[in-house]
């Protein structure tokens, strides 16, 4: 258990677990919750060995919750971490930009830097993503956000970065022929001569400094330095760095600015002086000169040293810009402030700090080292004093050079130590071989991965099938609607035709006596009504003449009004009996007449009224109220309308998402991409802007899937017929909603698409005519000749047809996807995965053999780097290869030899040689092997095919530029790369 | 001499006890533990090699500055040969505190691995 504890300590992190811890503390202003990195303080400081008391000042001024921090704890703010992260990213990017450059001079500079500055070589190795870390199609090396974050999770990362920042800041100043010293109250104060140029770090200047971040052109270094020489130096700094580059700490954040203000308030003065020795420390060393030229973009070639601390711009040189001088100056200031904040967090009083650790080297400064108490500073001082000879009088330039060298050497050691610790940590993690074995079990016939994959594929199939079911239901409903609209239209026509026929038939039975048939149904109706009401008229109905019913009613009344005549017939006398008999006869006769008249009147009245009714009925059927009929609220009609709208809405929604052209989902994408591709694009859009689309986790949501399917359907409809996209002006004029008082043309007649589909053009025209004088439709353009209405109807018809056809296309597409998923389910074999796992495992288990046999390659480079193709061998020799290998007879012979070196495949019995070769070849084809060798051996072949890489490798082996050590490391990289690929199958 | 993986057990600055244990168990280790140990052996060797190479380059450059060494195409080759030779004769006294610390950690890991493999 002692070892576990020792391991935790060895990793040097906070709280005994090897890692920094995060804790949230509210700052004094209470305006924000700051989280910081907390470490053990004694990992940075030699608390008992500096000879100087370390006074803890951290806490109250910066608002840290001091009470929650132990006495041996240090916390770096997130602001400071951000500054450190940015610094490292920029520094590494400046180096990798050279590596990635197509400019041979920059590539050469990179190689030179890697040879002469092993410190940077180690940093690039440590903090950049190299070719073997990157996807196959990416060859550029780049700074790694993840590795830098991991680096700053360790105390070593903070220490190394601080020292590197100091070194880079000093070099920038030296390259400009400047040196920096702060004038703090205390023993370091007292510098002032005619060369001193005050930056004046006070409140006003700091405010201005902050403002300059917004408008960098306002403030030039020349204005501050104020001498011709200084202006010339400033002007020599090159323009802005290339893409992604920069020169250090680029933009100070607001929180950091506040910290800088705080420093200024306390009266720190920072001076820059021209310094010949500093300039010469760079200018006289070609390696340093090239470094500042290529990495910091400071060109010292344009300057000469007049001696006596005076630097001049050489004749004929034209400075390019002064803008980046401002940038450089900001970097220097920020570098100085960042280190100040680092030491402040450690609790080191400002008065114990110099501007930079080099300050003791300059004229008339105290000859004691800066008292930071940092362990690494003590090591640098020991290195400088013991091995470097320490400070020598009258050798300012030598002192500067030796100090820089001592610092770099110690930094290199710290980086090595960090790497070793990380290695130890790595060894404690599970062995990749063990993981790979487990993965192989998972990918076996009844393994967990197989089950997982089958489940995924089944879910995918079900999702497609479900979408197909939904779409099919919608399609069937739309087809039914289309049929219904067609039938509705004909039904209307039929009933209208029948009514007309019925009316005509009635009209044929009516005659105006003496005048023949009636001219119009209205005339007939008038005549029929007149027969009922008026005297002296008549009409012939179906051959029967009906005289005025009014006259007949009068005649009836007359009969009813008749009175019995008391006078006996012929004037004689009659007996009472006779009289009664005669009365009875009269009454009976009268009654018969009344009855007859009544009967006739009733019959003819009925005839006339029935005829009127029939004619009216026929008229009503013929002139059925169009608007009433077509504004159907039938559920099927409403549903069909909604389905059409859903398609259009889905399309409009997806295509309206504002995205960069490359990720925009447009008509072409909706038509050309698969559902899954579109889902991926939508997920990608969502990561860029979470107001758009949805996250990947929600792809299984059926509504999201249907949104995509409907948009795809709409896109297909738009291609099938132009009317689906744009039904034209006539359609619009008819279907736009009416708006009283709207400008002419901006509103419509309020017809529905359904009306266009179900009514005749003539009837629509009638309807419009009827609305023409209605103020509610004042904004509608009067179309409209019949042809315009017909065109709008055609558009409606094609739109519906196109949508239904598009749904059929989508149905086919979804059916295809279901079949693909079914095929994938039945074909789940994992051969590819199993092959990769097998090959990776075999290479790893061959590791010892690969390392031990490396001399075979060193001693016989020609055999392993033979770039002649297999088919250049004699037929007999080719026969020694299996059929599977001979399928690739154009491959270099070296390829087969290297594969055999790695895997011993030629001797393999299980699997047989040919089968084994096939498996390896799928995992590591020649171009992949070429890239691995090129990157891991740093061969620098621009287009790394094996045919190009092998001769370069041979050349370097023969010249011993590459030996067994480099080869072993390269093969180790390849083995690890394969292991990583295999382990990636776990996700 | 052609350096083999197993030679590293002899070369690296292990205590005799650890060295003996490693040599005895090495061939019979299961593949996973053996792979871990191979990695540790080579990683440790490579790290020490890199440090020694850097040191030798520095020394050779100092010599070159004094005119005692030629900065020609053979320069790095010679330094590398010298380094390889010195690596074969590596001993504890050659290592500074930092290097020794790392080597010791590596040894601890190896011993733990072997002990663990025995337990399993």
């Amino acid at each position: 258990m002692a070892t576990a504890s020792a391991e935790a300590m060895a990793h040097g992190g906070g709280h005994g677990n090897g890692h920094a811890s995060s804790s949230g503390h509210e700052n004094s202003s209470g305006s924000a919750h700051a989280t910081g990195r907390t470490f053990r303080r004694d990992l940075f400081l030699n608390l008992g060995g500096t000879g100087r008391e370390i006074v803890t000042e951290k806490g109250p001024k910066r608002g840290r919750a001091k009470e929650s921090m132990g006495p041996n704890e240090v916390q770096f703010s997130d602001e400071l971490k951000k500054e450190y992260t940015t610094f490292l990213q920029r520094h590494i990017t400046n180096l990798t930009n050279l590596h990635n450059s197509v400019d041979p001079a920059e590539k050469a500079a990179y190689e030179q830097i890697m040879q002469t500055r092993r410190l940077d070589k180690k940093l690039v190795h440590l903090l950049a993503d190299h070719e073997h870390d990157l996807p196959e199609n990416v060859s550029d090396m780049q700074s790694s956000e993840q590795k830098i974050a991991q680096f700053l999770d360790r105390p070593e990362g903070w220490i190394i970065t601080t020292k590197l920042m100091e070194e880079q800041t000093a070099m920038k100043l030296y390259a400009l022929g400047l040196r920096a010293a702060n004038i703090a109250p205390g023993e370091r104060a007292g510098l002032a001569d005619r060369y001193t140029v005050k930056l004046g770090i006070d409140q006003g200047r700091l405010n201005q400094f902050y403002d300059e971040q917004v408008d960098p052109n306002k403030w030039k270094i020349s204005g501050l330095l104020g001498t011709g020489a200084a202006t010339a130096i400033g002007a020599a700094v090159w323009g802005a760095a290339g893409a992604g580059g920069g020169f250090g700490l680029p933009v100070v954040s607001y929180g950091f600015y506040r910290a800088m203000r705080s420093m200024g308030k306390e009266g720190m003065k920072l001076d820059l002086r021209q310094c010949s020795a500093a300039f010469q420390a760079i200018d006289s060393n070609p390696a340093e000169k090239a470094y500042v030229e290529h990495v910091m973009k400071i060109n010292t070639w344009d300057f000469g040293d007049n001696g006596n601390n005076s630097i001049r711009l050489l004749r004929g040189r034209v400075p390019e810009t002064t803008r980046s001088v401002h940038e450089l100056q900001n970097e220097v200031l920020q570098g100085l402030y960042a280190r100040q904040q680092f030491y402040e967090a450690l609790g080191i009083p400002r008065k114990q700090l110099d501007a930079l650790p080099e300050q003791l080297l300059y004229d008339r400064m105290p000859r004691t080292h800066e008292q930071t108490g940092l362990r690494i500073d003590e090591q640098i001082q020991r290195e400088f004093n013991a091995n470097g000879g320490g400070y020598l009088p009258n050798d300012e330039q030598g002192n500067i050079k030796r100090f820089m060298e001592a610092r770099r050497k110690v930094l290199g050691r710290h980086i090595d130590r960090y790497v070793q610790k990380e290695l130890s940590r790595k060894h404690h993690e599970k062995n990749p071989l063990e993981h790979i074995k487990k993965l192989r079990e998972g990918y076996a016939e009844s393994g967990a991965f197989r089950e997982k994959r089958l489940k995924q594929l089944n879910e995918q199939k079900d999702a497609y099938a479900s979408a197909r079911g939904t779409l099919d239901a919608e399609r069937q409903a739309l087809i039914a609607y289309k049929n219904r609209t067609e039938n509705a239209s004909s039904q209307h026509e039929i009933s209208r035709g029948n009514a007309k026929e019925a009316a005509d038939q009635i009209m044929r039975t009516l005659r105006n006596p003496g005048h023949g048939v009636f001219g119009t149904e209205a005339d007939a109706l008038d005549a029929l009504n007149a027969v009922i009401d008026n005297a002296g008229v008549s009409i012939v109905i179906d051959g029967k003449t009906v005289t005025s019913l009014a006259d007949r009613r009068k005649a009836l009344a007359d009969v009813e009004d008749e009175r019995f005549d008391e006078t006996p017939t012929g004037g004689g006398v009659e007996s009472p009996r006779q009289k009664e008999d005669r009365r009875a006869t009269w009454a009976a006769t009268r009654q018969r007449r009344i009855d007859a008249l009544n009967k006739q009147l009733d019959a003819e009245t009925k005839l006339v009224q029935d005829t009127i009714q029939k004619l009216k009925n026929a008229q009503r059927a013929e002139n059925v109220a169009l608007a009433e009929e077509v504004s159907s609220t039938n559920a099927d009609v409403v549903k069909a309308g909604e389905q059409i709208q859903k398609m259009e809405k889905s399309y409009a929604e997806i295509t309206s998402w504002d995205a960069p052209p490359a990720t925009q989902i447009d008509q072409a994408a909706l038509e050309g991409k698969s559902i899954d591709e579109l889902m991926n694009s939508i997920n990608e859009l969502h990561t860029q802007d979470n107001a758009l689309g949805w996250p990947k986790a929600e792809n299984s949501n059926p509504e999201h899937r249907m949104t995509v399917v409907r948009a795809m359907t709409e896109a297909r409809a738009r291609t099938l017929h132009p009317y689906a996209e744009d039904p034209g002006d006539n359609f619009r004029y008819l279907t736009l909603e009416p708006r009283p008082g709207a400008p002419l043309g901006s509103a419509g007649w309020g017809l529905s698409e359904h009306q266009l589909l179900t009514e005749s053009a003539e009837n629509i025209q009638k309807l419009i005519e009827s609305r023409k004088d209605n103020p509610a439709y004042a904004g509608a353009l009067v179309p409209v000749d019949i042809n315009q209405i017909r065109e709008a109807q055609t558009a409606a018809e094609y739109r519906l047809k196109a949508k239904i056809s598009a749904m059929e296309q989508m149905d086919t597409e979804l059916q295809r996807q279901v079949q693909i998923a079914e095929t994938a389910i039945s074909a789940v074999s994992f051969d590819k995965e199993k092959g990769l796992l097998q090959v990776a495992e075999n290479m790893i288990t061959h590791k010892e053999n690969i390392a031990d046999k490396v001399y075979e390659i060193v001693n016989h480079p020609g055999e392993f780097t033979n770039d002649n193709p297999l088919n250049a061998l004699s037929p007999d020799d080719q026969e020694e290869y299996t059929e599977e290998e001979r399928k690739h007879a154009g491959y270099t012979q070296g390829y087969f030899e290297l594969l055999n070196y790695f895997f011993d495949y030629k001797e393999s019995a299980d699997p047989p040689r040919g089968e084994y070769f096939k498996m390896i070849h799928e995992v590591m084809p020649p171009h992949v092997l070429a890239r691995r060798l090129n990157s891991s051996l740093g061969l620098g072949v621009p287009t790394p095919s094996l045919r190009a890489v092998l001769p370069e490798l041979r050349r370097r082996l023969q010249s011993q530029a590459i030996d067994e050590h480099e080869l072993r490391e390269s093969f180790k990289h390849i083995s690890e790369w394969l292991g990583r690929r295999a382990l990636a199958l776990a996700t | 001499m052609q350096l083999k993986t197993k030679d590293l057990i002899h070369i690296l600055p292990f205590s005799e006890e650890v060295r003996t244990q490693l040599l005895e168990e090495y061939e019979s280790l299961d593949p996973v533990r053996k792979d871990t140990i191979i990695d540790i052996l080579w990683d440790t060797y490579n790290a020490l090699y890199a440090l020694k190479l850097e040191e030798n380059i520095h020394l050779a450059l100092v010599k070159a500055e004094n005119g005692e060494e030629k900065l020609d195409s053979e320069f790095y080759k010679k330094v590398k040969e010298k380094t390889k030779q010195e690596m074969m004769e590596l001993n504890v006294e050659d290592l500074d505190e930092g290097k020794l610390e790392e080597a010791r950690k590596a040894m601890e890991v190896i011993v733990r691995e072997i002990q663990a493999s025995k337990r399993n």
Side-chain angles (χ1 to χ4, degrees):
Chain A
M1 295 312 98
T3 51
S5 159
E7 187 62 28
M9 292 295 286
H11 292 155
H15 301 297
N17 62 1
H19 294 269
S21 66
S22 293
S23 57
H25 301 293
E26 190 175 22
N27 64 21
S28 61
S29 68
S31 60
H33 287 274
T35 55
R37 318 305 298 171
T38 306
F39 299 100
R40 266 173 38 202
R41 197 157 162 260
D42 62 351
L43 293 169
F44 297 84
L45 299 171
N46 185 353
L47 297 175
T50 62
R52 297 289 298 264
E53 183 190 1
I54 301 299
V55 180
T56 304
E57 285 187 343
K58 70 185 176 64
K61 284 177 188 167
R62 298 294 312 282
R64 292 189 183 88
K66 193 179 179 184
E67 63 279 7
S68 67
M69 300 265 292
N72 191 28
E73 284 184 343
V74 56
Q75 188 181 79
F76 300 120
S77 69
D78 278 349
E79 286 289 350
L80 192 59
K81 188 182 178 198
K82 201 184 292 175
E83 299 298 330
Y84 270 50
T85 302
T86 309
F87 168 77
L88 285 175
Q89 280 172 343
R90 295 302 171 107
H91 182 69
I92 299 300
T93 301
N94 287 337
L95 292 166
T96 54
N97 277 351
L98 295 176
H99 170 272
N100 302 332
S101 173
V102 292
D103 180 352
E106 294 206 323
K107 275 204 172 300
Y110 177 78
E111 292 302 327
Q112 187 185 5
I113 288 167
M114 292 299 108
Q115 284 292 339
T116 56
R117 276 186 59 99
R118 299 188 61 80
L119 167 65
D120 277 328
K121 184 177 182 178
K122 288 170 185 175
L123 283 169
V124 167
H125 180 75
L126 195 63
L127 302 178
D129 278 334
H130 298 257
E131 197 173 354
H132 57 263
D133 299 319
L134 300 169
E136 281 299 319
N137 56 346
V138 179
S139 62
D140 282 357
M141 195 164 35
Q142 49 198 246
S143 74
S144 164
E145 199 176 323
Q146 188 190 359
K147 288 175 181 174
I148 288 172
Q150 191 183 342
F151 189 58
L152 290 176
D153 244 6
R154 312 270 188 265
E156 295 91 338
W158 285 86
I159 294 167
I160 291 166
T161 308
T162 304
K163 293 293 122 184
L164 180 69
M165 195 185 293
E166 287 173 352
E167 193 234 11
Q168 296 283 301
T169 304
M171 283 186 79
K172 282 170 195 165
L173 288 169
Y174 293 165
L176 292 174
L178 298 170
R179 69 187 200 205
N182 63 331
I183 304 176
E187 71 264 42
R188 297 270 174 189
L191 270 184
D193 59 36
R194 67 190 179 87
Y195 298 110
T196 299
V197 184
K198 290 192 185 296
L199 277 179
I201 307 298
D202 57 19
Q203 187 60 61
R205 175 55 63 201
L206 280 165
N207 287 339
Q208 187 182 358
F209 180 69
Y210 178 70
D211 292 340
E212 300 308 327
Q213 309 304 318
V214 181
D215 182 1
N217 290 319
K218 282 199 316 199
W219 190 33
K220 310 292 183 200
I221 198 168
S222 56
L224 280 170
L225 298 182
T227 69
T231 306
I233 292 165
V237 181
W238 287 5
F247 308 115
L249 297 157
V251 177
V252 68
S253 61
Y254 181 71
F256 213 62
Y257 159 69
R258 286 172 60 203
M260 289 160 55
R261 285 179 57 168
S262 154
M263 278 179 66
K265 277 180 186 168
E266 292 175 20
M268 176 181 173
K269 300 286 182 193
L270 181 69
D271 294 340
L272 295 181
R273 301 178 67 210
Q274 287 201 347
C275 179
S276 293
F279 181 71
Q280 287 299 338
I282 302 294
D283 195 54
S284 67
N285 183 329
E288 303 277 20
K289 199 175 170 77
Y291 184 79
V292 297
E293 178 183 346
H294 289 285
V295 178
M296 299 173 175
K297 308 295 179 195
I298 301 173
N299 191 349
T300 60
W301 297 88
D302 292 342
F303 298 96
D305 177 15
N306 290 338
N308 291 323
N309 297 327
S310 170
I311 315 294
R312 73 183 189 285
L313 179 65
L314 293 177
R315 186 183 296 276
R317 302 285 188 181
V318 180
E320 292 186 19
T321 176
T322 57
R323 191 198 69 78
S324 58
V325 171
H326 172 86
E327 191 177 333
L328 184 76
Q329 183 165 331
N330 285 355
E331 289 164 21
V332 169
L333 286 169
Q334 289 171 47
L336 297 173
Y337 282 124
R339 78 182 289 272
Q340 186 90 10
Q341 290 306 300
F342 171 80
Y343 290 117
E344 188 190 345
L346 282 169
I348 298 167
R350 285 180 194 151
K351 65 182 179 186
Q352 284 180 219
L353 296 176
D354 292 342
L356 284 170
E358 290 87 342
Q359 196 161 310
L360 84 155
L361 307 174
Y362 309 143
D363 287 342
R364 284 178 286 169
M365 290 298 289
R367 297 298 167 212
T368 52
H369 286 281
E370 185 184 27
Q371 297 296 297
T372 63
L374 230 59
R375 290 174 187 279
I376 192 171
D377 279 336
E378 293 171 15
Q379 291 158 7
I380 293 168
Q381 290 158 18
R382 277 203 300 273
E383 186 72 35
F384 175 64
N385 290 332
N387 303 327
Y391 174 83
L392 300 176
N394 304 317
D395 187 15
E396 194 170 1
Q397 189 190 140
N399 290 336
I400 290 171
K401 283 183 176 177
R402 284 193 298 279
F403 188 85
M404 288 202 297
E405 192 53 38
R407 177 166 49 199
R408 286 170 190 168
K409 202 167 178 180
V410 173
L411 257 178
R413 277 189 221 142
H414 273 256
I415 294 171
D416 287 335
R417 201 162 300 171
Y418 170 80
V419 171
Q420 280 301 96
K421 284 181 181 177
E422 290 304 303
L423 273 177
S424 290
R425 198 191 310 277
K426 194 182 81 176
H427 290 316
H428 275 268
E429 291 167 2
K430 283 215 163 198
N431 187 289
L433 208 50
E434 204 163 10
H435 279 300
I436 289 170
K437 280 179 186 297
K438 281 187 180 165
L439 282 174
R440 286 187 67 188
E441 287 167 17
Y443 279 103
E445 281 305 307
S446 57
F449 283 102
R450 185 186 181 81
E451 293 304 314
K452 188 178 167 191
R453 174 73 62 86
L454 283 172
K455 187 166 175 277
Q456 283 171 345
L457 288 171
N458 271 312
E459 283 172 357
Q460 199 170 27
K461 187 195 86 172
D462 291 346
Y464 281 123
S466 164
R468 189 181 174 218
T470 306
L471 187 73
D472 190 54
E474 291 178 358
R475 182 172 64 102
Q476 294 303 340
L478 218 54
I479 288 171
Y481 169 70
K482 177 172 167 283
N483 293 337
R484 179 190 161 88
T485 59
E486 287 167 355
N487 291 340
S489 178
S490 55
Q491 283 297 329
H492 293 163
E493 292 305 321
I494 288 166
S495 58
R496 268 193 290 277
N498 289 345
K500 176 89 172 104
E501 179 56 35
D504 287 349
Q505 201 174 343
I506 293 164
M507 289 290 285
R508 279 196 296 274
T509 66
L510 300 177
R511 293 286 188 280
N512 189 0
H515 296 89
V517 294
F518 291 97
T520 66
E521 290 164 13
D523 290 346
L525 278 172
D526 286 347
L528 285 165
N529 285 316
V531 161
I532 293 171
D533 296 331
N534 299 342
V537 294
S538 62
I539 188 167
V540 177
I541 301 173
D542 205 12
K544 180 181 175 55
T545 299
V546 178
T547 56
S548 167
L549 295 176
D551 287 347
R552 311 264 285 283
R553 282 192 298 276
K554 185 173 184 305
L556 175 64
D558 288 346
V559 173
E560 285 172 339
D561 288 344
E562 284 179 6
R563 293 290 176 264
F564 180 68
D565 186 356
E566 297 288 337
T567 305
T569 308
V573 174
E574 59 187 350
S575 65
R577 183 177 176 87
Q578 286 177 323
K579 191 174 184 178
E580 278 309 307
D581 288 344
R582 190 171 57 85
R583 184 188 296 274
T585 302
W586 172 82
T589 304
R590 175 175 164 271
Q591 190 57 48
R592 278 198 298 276
R593 284 175 56 203
I594 289 171
D595 288 345
L597 281 172
N598 263 328
K599 190 177 175 186
Q600 189 182 36
L601 189 61
D602 285 346
E604 291 186 5
T605 301
K606 185 171 185 306
L607 175 65
V608 173
Q609 284 177 337
D610 283 353
T611 305
I612 289 170
Q613 193 57 50
K614 280 180 189 170
L615 194 55
K616 280 187 174 176
N617 285 347
Q619 273 189 320
R620 190 172 296 121
E622 186 188 6
N623 297 315
V624 65
L626 185 61
E628 292 303 315
E629 177 189 300
V630 294
S631 62
S632 174
T633 53
N634 180 286
D636 290 342
V637 175
V638 172
K639 193 175 168 190
E642 284 174 355
Q643 282 171 2
I644 290 171
Q645 280 178 4
K646 273 184 190 172
M647 277 191 262
E648 293 175 353
K649 196 178 157 199
S650 298
Y651 181 93
E653 182 187 358
I654 289 180
T655 55
S656 71
W657 290 333
D658 190 20
T663 47
Q664 179 82 46
I665 302 174
D666 55 10
Q667 166 76 22
L670 285 169
E671 238 192 313
K673 288 188 176 179
S674 71
I675 296 175
D676 287 335
E677 285 171 335
L678 288 167
M679 288 277 203
N680 286 340
S681 301
I682 290 168
N683 301 150
E684 178 61 27
L685 273 178
H686 183 78
T687 59
Q688 292 167 16
D689 179 354
N690 61 18
L692 308 179
W694 52 82
K696 192 167 188 167
E698 290 181 19
N699 281 354
S700 56
N701 181 333
E703 269 308 304
H704 288 333
R705 188 167 288 268
M706 282 313 297
T707 299
V708 175
V709 167
R710 288 182 185 122
M712 290 170 79
T713 310
E714 177 65 19
R716 280 159 174 74
R718 286 171 183 232
T719 298
L720 281 169
H721 203 286
Y723 278 139
E725 182 178 1
D726 180 10
D729 285 343
N730 292 321
F731 181 96
R732 270 190 291 279
Y733 291 147
L734 290 169
T735 55
L736 275 175
E737 284 302 309
R739 274 192 299 136
L744 198 62
S746 66
W749 292 102
L751 290 168
S752 67
E753 200 162 350
H754 176 72
Q755 285 173 308
L756 293 178
L757 287 165
T758 54
E759 280 307 326
S760 69
E762 291 79 4
N763 282 335
I764 290 171
Q765 194 175 36
K766 273 187 200 171
L767 182 64
I768 292 169
E769 285 295 325
S770 73
R771 291 175 174 175
K772 205 164 57 179
D773 298 325
N774 186 338
Y777 298 93
L781 273 178
V782 178
V784 262
D785 68 37
I786 198 82
N787 289 329
Q788 287 174 299
I789 295 172
R790 285 188 180 127
E791 190 191 330
Q793 289 183 300
T794 304
E797 189 183 331
Y798 275 107
R799 276 163 58 80
L800 182 60
K801 282 181 182 168
K803 284 173 201 293
I804 291 171
S805 297
M807 288 169 118
E808 282 161 6
Q809 283 188 6
M810 272 309 293
D811 180 65
T812 307
E813 169 64 16
L814 288 167
Q815 188 181 18
R816 194 175 70 85
Q817 293 293 343
V818 171
Q819 282 166 352
I820 288 171
E822 282 169 347
T823 308
I825 289 166
S826 61
V828 167
S829 72
F830 291 114
D831 286 345
K832 203 174 160 188
E833 288 83 353
K834 285 192 280 192
L836 171 58
L837 290 165
Q838 174 82 65
V839 169
E841 183 180 331
N842 288 2
M843 185 156 186
I844 293 170
T845 50
H846 271 77
K847 197 181 281 176
E848 182 179 9
N849 204 31
I850 291 168
D852 292 353
K853 286 196 312 179
V854 73
Y855 298 96
E856 287 181 16
I857 298 179
V858 173
N859 295 334
H860 307 286
E863 185 183 337
F864 292 93
T865 61
N866 189 336
D867 56 324
N868 289 318
L870 191 65
N871 56 19
L873 289 171
S874 71
D876 283 350
D877 286 342
Q878 284 188 49
E879 277 303 308
E880 289 181 14
Y881 288 81
T882 61
E883 191 182 339
E884 193 61 48
E885 290 162 288
R886 288 200 304 273
K887 281 183 189 169
H888 308 283
Y891 287 177
T892 59
Q893 294 170 37
Y895 174 66
F896 296 95
E897 294 311 312
L898 284 170
L899 288 197
N900 192 45
Y901 176 85
F902 292 144
F903 299 100
D904 232 358
Y905 81 89
K906 289 184 182 177
E907 302 302 319
S908 174
D910 182 23
R913 170 174 169 166
E915 199 180 308
Y916 193 16
F917 169 80
K918 188 181 173 189
M919 189 192 293
I920 300 166
H921 171 257
E922 279 178 10
V923 174
M924 201 186 288
H927 72 278
V928 171
L929 178 59
R931 282 174 61 102
R932 295 296 120 204
L933 290 170
N934 194 45
S935 66
S936 60
L937 287 165
L939 297 178
V941 175
T943 312
S945 69
L946 209 49
R947 210 172 290 282
V949 163
L950 290 179
E952 180 61 21
L953 175 57
R954 183 166 62 241
R955 189 183 69 73
R956 296 206 190 190
L957 282 167
Q958 285 168 345
S959 68
Q960 296 179 40
I962 286 178
D963 63 10
E964 69 277 10
H965 188 79
E966 282 91 358
L967 277 183
R968 268 195 218 101
E969 293 234 47
S970 161
F971 297 161
K972 187 167 180 293
H973 279 307
I974 293 173
S975 168
E976 287 170 353
W977 165 77
L978 256 184
R980 280 196 301 276
R981 274 185 66 188
L983 292 178
L985 293 176
T987 55
Chain B
M1 179 189 170
Q2 296 194 350
L3 188 63
K4 301 244 162 101
T5 306
K6 214 171 165 183
D7 297 332
L8 301 182
I9 301 173
H10 294 285
I11 291 171
L12 293 172
F14 300 149
S15 70
E16 274 313 306
E17 186 187 354
V18 170
R19 197 188 316 278
T20 307
Q21 196 173 2
L22 266 176
L23 288 167
E24 277 176 6
E25 304 288 341
Y26 185 77
E27 296 300 344
S28 59
L29 288 169
D30 71 83
V32 173
R33 295 197 188 287
K34 192 169 184 183
D35 180 62
T36 304
I37 287 171
I38 291 169
D39 273 351
I40 293 169
L41 289 170
W42 280 111
D43 287 347
T44 308
Y45 176 85
N46 290 339
L48 294 174
Y49 176 88
L51 286 171
K52 191 159 269 300
L53 180 66
E54 186 180 355
E55 190 178 307
N56 285 338
I57 288 173
H58 177 74
L59 289 172
L61 284 171
V62 170
K63 279 187 178 177
E65 274 183 12
N66 297 332
E68 298 164 19
E69 190 79 61
K70 276 188 185 171
L71 275 173
D72 56 12
S73 61
E74 297 292 302
F75 178 81
Y76 283 108
K77 204 188 297 178
K78 280 190 281 185
V79 175
K80 277 158 78 173
E81 281 307 316
K82 180 172 184 283
T83 306
K84 280 183 232 171
Q85 189 57 41
E86 287 176 358
M87 287 299 291
M88 303 301 277
E89 297 153 9
L90 198 65
N91 58 53
V92 176
E93 287 71 33
D94 286 337
L95 304 172
D96 72 12
E97 194 181 338
K99 294 169 197 167
L100 191 57
E101 187 188 345
E102 296 311 314
R104 278 177 183 150
K105 282 194 196 94
M107 282 188 282
E108 284 170 10
V109 174
I110 291 170
V111 169
R112 279 204 299 276
E113 290 292 337
I114 291 175
Q115 286 168 344
S117 70
K118 272 184 166 179
R119 281 198 299 275
N120 298 333

